[in-house]
Amino acid sequence: MKKRRPDIRVVPASAEHIGTIAKRMRRQDRDEVMAASGKMPREALEFSLLKSTIAYTGTVDGRPEVMFGAGDINILNGIAAPWLLGTKAVERHHVAFLRHSVEWRDQLLRRYSILRNFVDDRNHVSIRWLRWLGFTLSDPVMMNGHAFRLFELRSTDVRFDHGAHSRLNPSGGGRTGAAGAGAGKRV
């Protein structure tokens, strides 16, 4: 018997999605928002949604599992702070998550010239994902008594080529890292 594929959708985020995600938020995300802001999961999601100029919720079989978005840092220079908070469903459905995250990254980079925020240095899964997407990460810096890394990606670092998604190498050509591997394939 063939396993049923889950119905994964991305919909505009709403306050109604917050409760179920907050109750089941991944431990790494809970720890990160507490270290960065002192906020509990519900407060962090409410604040992030309120401050975002663009926000979405990823659902699996109709159940909200991840909320993500971006808020303007500097509208004149096109700089935004992307964020994402979710449940363990992100890891259970990692292939679909990775595919959608590349599409979302590209949508944001068509709107903003620079994406920049901080990630908790203990959040190894998120750090690996950010690098896979092509973000550069700084050395750790201390904030509120915890180590965080600035992550950044510029639209000039990514080639948008007939659906192919790749990060340019430092000389401006070719693909580097996993973000460029298999570019253009639809999963």
Side-chain angles (χ1 to χ4, degrees):
M1 183 173 200
K2 195 172 186 179
K3 189 176 178 181
R4 182 185 72 81
R5 292 182 79 180
D7 179 24
I8 298 175
R9 297 176 190 245
V10 176
V11 299
S14 75
E16 290 80 38
H17 301 148
I18 290 173
T20 186
I21 296 170
K23 287 178 197 168
R24 300 174 297 112
M25 189 177 287
R26 291 180 332 126
R27 170 60 51 199
Q28 301 95 317
D29 289 350
R30 285 176 180 271
D31 292 347
E32 182 171 312
V33 297
M34 181 56 74
S37 66
K39 295 183 184 328
M40 296 299 290
R42 177 179 284 281
E43 296 171 298
L45 285 163
E46 289 170 346
F47 179 82
S48 296
L49 181 59
L50 179 67
K51 297 297 182 180
S52 292
T53 49
I54 185 169
Y56 295 99
T57 297
T59 66
V60 178
D61 296 329
R63 185 178 191 186
E65 299 291 355
V66 62
M67 188 178 286
F68 56 96
D72 294 334
I73 295 176
N74 183 321
I75 58 173
L76 295 177
N77 291 320
I79 303 172
W83 60 273
L84 180 144
L85 298 169
T87 69
K88 289 184 178 183
V90 170
E91 294 168 18
R92 281 193 307 273
H93 303 287
H94 64 277
V95 172
F97 172 76
L98 291 172
R99 182 182 72 238
H100 287 297
S101 65
V102 169
E103 293 168 4
W104 180 64
R105 174 205 69 188
D106 291 351
Q107 285 179 27
L108 286 178
L109 287 172
R110 286 185 180 96
R111 180 176 180 149
Y112 299 104
S113 58
I114 301 172
L115 301 176
R116 176 186 297 154
N117 206 340
F118 287 90
V119 62
D120 190 324
D121 194 43
R122 300 170 295 177
N123 197 338
H124 302 291
V125 171
S126 292
I127 289 171
R128 190 169 64 236
W129 169 65
L130 289 164
R131 285 188 172 129
W132 183 83
L133 285 172
F135 283 85
T136 57
L137 283 86
S138 72
D139 290 333
V141 295
M142 296 304 288
M143 292 176 21
N144 300 329
H146 297 277
F148 283 82
R149 291 176 182 264
L150 176 71
F151 63 87
E152 182 176 287
L153 184 62
R154 296 171 180 264
S155 59
T156 54
D157 291 340
V158 176
R159 180 181 300 149
F160 305 100
D161 183 30
H162 303 293
H165 313 288
S166 60
R167 179 169 170 70
L168 299 176
N169 66 29
S171 65
R175 295 183 176 108
T176 62
K185 288 185 180 178
R186 294 278 181 209
V187 178

